[in-house]
Amino acid sequence: MQILSHFSSKASLSLLPLPRLSLSTALYFRRRPSKFQFCPSKHFRFPRLPFLVCNLSSGTSQQVPMDSPPPEATLSVDSLTHDLQNQSLTSDGHDQVNNKSENNGVNNTHAVRLKLEDLNWDNSFVRELPGDPRTDTIPREVLHACYTKVSPSAEVENPQLVAWSESVSKLLELDPEEFGRPDFPLLFSGASPLVGSLPYAQCYGGHQFGMWAGQLGDGRAITLGEVLNSKSERWELQLKGAGKTPYSRFADGLAVLRSSVREFLCSEAMHNLGIPTTRALCLVTTGKHVTRDMFYDGNPKEEPGAIVCRVSPSFLRFGSYQIHASREKEDLAIVRTLADYAIRHHFPHIENMSRSESLSFNTGNEEHSVVDLTSNKYAAWAVEVAERTASLVAKWQGVGFTHGVLNTDNMSILGLTIDYGPFGFLDAFDPSYTPNTTDLPGRRYCFANQPDIGLWNIAQFTRTLSAAQLIDDKEANYAMERYGTRFMDDYQAIMTKKLGLPKYIKQLISKLLNNMAVDKVDYTNFFRLLSNIKADPSIPEEELLNPLKAVLLDIGQERKEAWISWVKIYIEELAASGIPDEERKASMNAVNPKYILRNYLCQSAIDAAEQGDFGEVQRVLKVMERPYDAQPGMEKYARLPPAWAYRPGVCMLSCSS
């Protein structure tokens, strides 16, 4: 099986320097617990997922379309879920995160409203996992530990609350009046301790741009602890930009308002789009300035400092496990301990599985090639992490989101979008788009490559579990196969809904994406306008493109004919479906957002905030709370980027923050 970046508009994209491996047979690399190799050898082949390919090049290279049918599985995801439910397991943890987010985590009829002093802190991470015996912040290698106890140390001077999220406050059951407390900015800048918190910085490693980087860790993020609400939901609170830790290396541990506004807004915007993500409770300024060289060009400048309070059930990453496996010897036991911790607190349904023939999977024709997920909880966990990751990436592709820095230390084991740096949503449809200036030479993390990179990262994660002898080669291979199948299932379902079709039609969608790439059509606005097309084959040819004229700009006669040809076929499919126009329009608008957090909207909010006006941050937050609604009067937030939005620092950003 291969996954080729379906969005690729250039043949060269298929030649990007990505390691390859085979999923349909045994792995080319062998996992040896005693020799944990983090940098793939030249023989390590990366599995390319079947993806819709935009065949715009005249090149002769053979490409496997992404939307080709995935390999048949012995048991579907749906049937697996059904079997688990029949065993009286709790619902999938990923769904739990989504469901409680959609419901704001509380029963609004009898909403609990707590003061900050009444939050129920649990701090299981510190209590149950090995910690660093030292508490200083001197940059150093931290061995045999998952965390270091450190306190926020960022200097503040009259800190101010910029904005806060009402829906996140409901998850924590926090009384909204608490945000008006005079000491609130002091508490959430770290200047004053929160009663019951037990701050620490997490130790982890990771692959950065495909190369093993060794120890990384929370260099400027300090977790305050975990809060349990009245429904026993666990929420970890973390201050990003709160000061130095042992993992800061030679950095200052601080964050600027520019990057903090982006992370705060995008965390909440992604949630409201229905995409799994870490959340953001609030954003405060520190009142101090931070020196940053935004373009790495030797011209640093002072920028306002800020701290964002991030919220998630857990901030565990792939790199949280990799760092301990890389050190081998006694640290391999920490991989198991940390896996047990994650399963116990965040995947409890896996602990409750019993042996079942229905959860056995045939992974090939070889003898003894059956994987029984109920006989090894770590294998079941690896498969679920892989499927959550695949589902997440499929959702990114559906809304045109590009993360920008998909290093393994930026991959959540919960399948959440994590660490918002130089991210970007597609404006004009460009499969090679990367919002990260650091990524420009090879575009490793461009939009088209995200499904492949997700799989590459899963390969590193399963390799880590193999090194700790938690899973074997067949189980690791099966987890990666499940990534490919789950990605295809979810992506095809998403694209089918975006077009308002009753079934997935490969050629129709492939041709559409080709047309969009050729004419650089705005991704978001096109799909929103597409719902205005009527299922009426009798519409005169000269009127067929009228519903799309706002996005089909400056196209010549040849391209106009190409679009007319596509619309005709599309209308035929709509008419054959029998779905009434208004019903289809409503369902399409429910999955095709009108409002996305375009980079220029972030920048406008940043520019105002840097002048002390926080109103635009709050307005953008409010608009992004209902991205699928028309919101009369807010149309300016759905406009195409203005000319100034294409300057460096707006459409593309560096990792400097």
Side-chain angles (χ1 to χ4, degrees), residues 406-465:
L406 286 180
N407 299 327
T408 57
D409 57 297
N410 294 337
M411 299 292 293
S412 163
I413 64 162
L414 299 181
L416 306 176
T417 315
I418 190 172
D419 290 341
Y420 292 93
F423 65 84
F425 286 86
L426 290 174
D427 294 316
F429 181 61
D430 176 7
S432 67
Y433 169 68
T434 178
N436 185 356
T437 56
T438 310
D439 191 37
L440 275 178
R443 296 182 184 266
R444 175 184 175 88
Y445 296 144
C446 72
F447 178 71
N449 279 350
Q450 289 185 135
D452 287 348
I453 291 296
L455 180 56
W456 193 89
N457 289 341
I458 287 293
Q460 307 315 309
F461 180 66
T462 58
R463 168 180 244 177
T464 297
L465 302 186

Side-chain angles (χ1 to χ4, degrees), residues 330-348:
E330 66 267 30
D331 280 13
L332 284 174
I334 298 180
V335 178
R336 181 183 295 269
T337 300
L338 198 54
D340 288 338
Y341 171 85
I343 293 170
R344 182 166 58 253
H345 289 290
H346 304 292
F347 301 80

Side-chain angles (χ1 to χ4, degrees), residues 318-340:
F318 292 4
S320 303
Y321 298 83
Q322 286 182 289
I323 186 62
H324 305 298
S326 72
R327 290 167 174 169
E328 302 182 333
K329 299 180 181 178
E330 66 267 30
D331 280 13
L332 284 174
I334 298 180
V335 178
R336 181 183 295 269
T337 300
L338 198 54
D340 288 338

Side-chain angles (χ1 to χ4, degrees), residues 73-90 349-363 369-381 383-384 387 474-475 478-479 482:
T74 305
L75 189 64
S76 69
V77 177
D78 290 339
S79 60
L80 171 58
T81 302
H82 178 71
D83 287 333
L84 291 176
Q85 290 174 341
N86 285 343
Q87 295 183 50
S88 301
L89 302 185
T90 60
H349 51 287
I350 291 178
E351 290 273 26
N352 298 329
M353 285 195 305
S354 61
R355 295 286 304 252
S356 169
E357 290 298 324
S358 65
L359 292 181
S360 296
F361 301 86
N362 193 322
T363 62
S369 60
V370 173
V371 172
D372 181 5
L373 295 183
T374 58
S375 67
N376 182 1
K377 69 177 181 180
Y378 303 112
W381 180 53
V383 167
E384 185 163 337
E387 290 196 344
K474 293 193 298 293
E475 293 164 337
Y478 181 70
R482 288 308 308 165

Side-chain angles (χ1 to χ4, degrees), residues 198-480:
L198 190 58
Y200 68 88
Q202 189 188 154
C203 178
Y204 51 82
H207 282 87
Q208 297 192 323
F209 294 90
M211 300 300 294
W212 177 243
Q215 177 179 292
L216 298 168
D218 287 333
R220 58 175 174 168
I222 297 177
T223 291
L224 299 178
E226 305 144 49
V227 170
L228 293 177
N229 63 20
S230 62
K231 298 168 69 175
S232 297
E233 295 169 342
R234 184 177 303 274
W235 295 101
E236 185 175 323
L237 273 61
Q238 185 182 85
L239 301 183
K240 186 173 181 179
K244 288 185 177 181
T245 76
Y247 313 103
S248 299
R249 289 167 284 180
F250 299 103
D252 56 19
L254 306 176
V256 297
L257 183 60
R258 163 176 51 86
S259 63
S260 301
V261 166
R262 287 172 53 81
E263 173 136 19
F264 174 78
L265 289 176
C266 202
S267 298
E268 295 308 284
M270 291 286 275
H271 164 71
N272 292 310
L273 285 168
I275 299 175
T277 178
T278 58
R279 306 294 301 279
L281 174 64
C282 61
L283 171 64
V284 299
T285 61
T286 62
K288 293 288 189 176
H289 281 82
V290 178
T291 302
R292 286 291 181 269
D293 184 354
M294 186 166 73
F295 299 110
Y296 300 123
D297 59 0
N299 294 298
K301 70 171 187 176
E302 287 194 337
E303 300 184 49
I307 295 173
V308 62
C309 179
R310 308 197 296 186
V311 177
S312 176
S314 174
F315 286 96
L316 281 170
R317 308 128 186 280
F318 292 4
S320 303
Y321 298 83
Q322 286 182 289
I323 186 62
H324 305 298
S326 72
R327 290 167 174 169
E328 302 182 333
K329 299 180 181 178
E330 66 267 30
D331 280 13
L332 284 174
I334 298 180
V335 178
R336 181 183 295 269
T337 300
L338 198 54
D340 288 338
Y341 171 85
I343 293 170
R344 182 166 58 253
H345 289 290
H346 304 292
F347 301 80
H349 51 287
I350 291 178
E351 290 273 26
N352 298 329
M353 285 195 305
S354 61
R355 295 286 304 252
S356 169
E357 290 298 324
S358 65
L359 292 181
S360 296
F361 301 86
N362 193 322
T363 62
N365 297 322
E366 299 177 11
E367 188 178 1
H368 307 303
S369 60
V370 173
V371 172
D372 181 5
L373 295 183
T374 58
S375 67
N376 182 1
K377 69 177 181 180
Y378 303 112
W381 180 53
V383 167
E384 185 163 337
V385 171
E387 290 196 344
R388 290 190 186 196
T389 303
S391 182
L392 174 68
V393 177
K395 289 181 173 68
W396 289 350
Q397 305 305 108
V399 298
F401 175 79
T402 308
H403 184 282
V405 200
L406 286 180
N407 299 327
T408 57
D409 57 297
N410 294 337
M411 299 292 293
S412 163
I413 64 162
L414 299 181
L416 306 176
T417 315
I418 190 172
D419 290 341
Y420 292 93
F423 65 84
F425 286 86
L426 290 174
D427 294 316
F429 181 61
D430 176 7
S432 67
Y433 169 68
T434 178
N436 185 356
T437 56
T438 310
D439 191 37
L440 275 178
R443 296 182 184 266
R444 175 184 175 88
Y445 296 144
C446 72
F447 178 71
N449 279 350
Q450 289 185 135
D452 287 348
I453 291 296
L455 180 56
W456 193 89
N457 289 341
I458 287 293
Q460 307 315 309
F461 180 66
T462 58
R463 168 180 244 177
T464 297
L465 302 186
S466 294
Q469 298 184 335
L470 301 184
I471 61 176
D472 60 27
D473 283 2
K474 293 193 298 293
E475 293 164 337
N477 192 43
Y478 181 70
M480 289 184 282

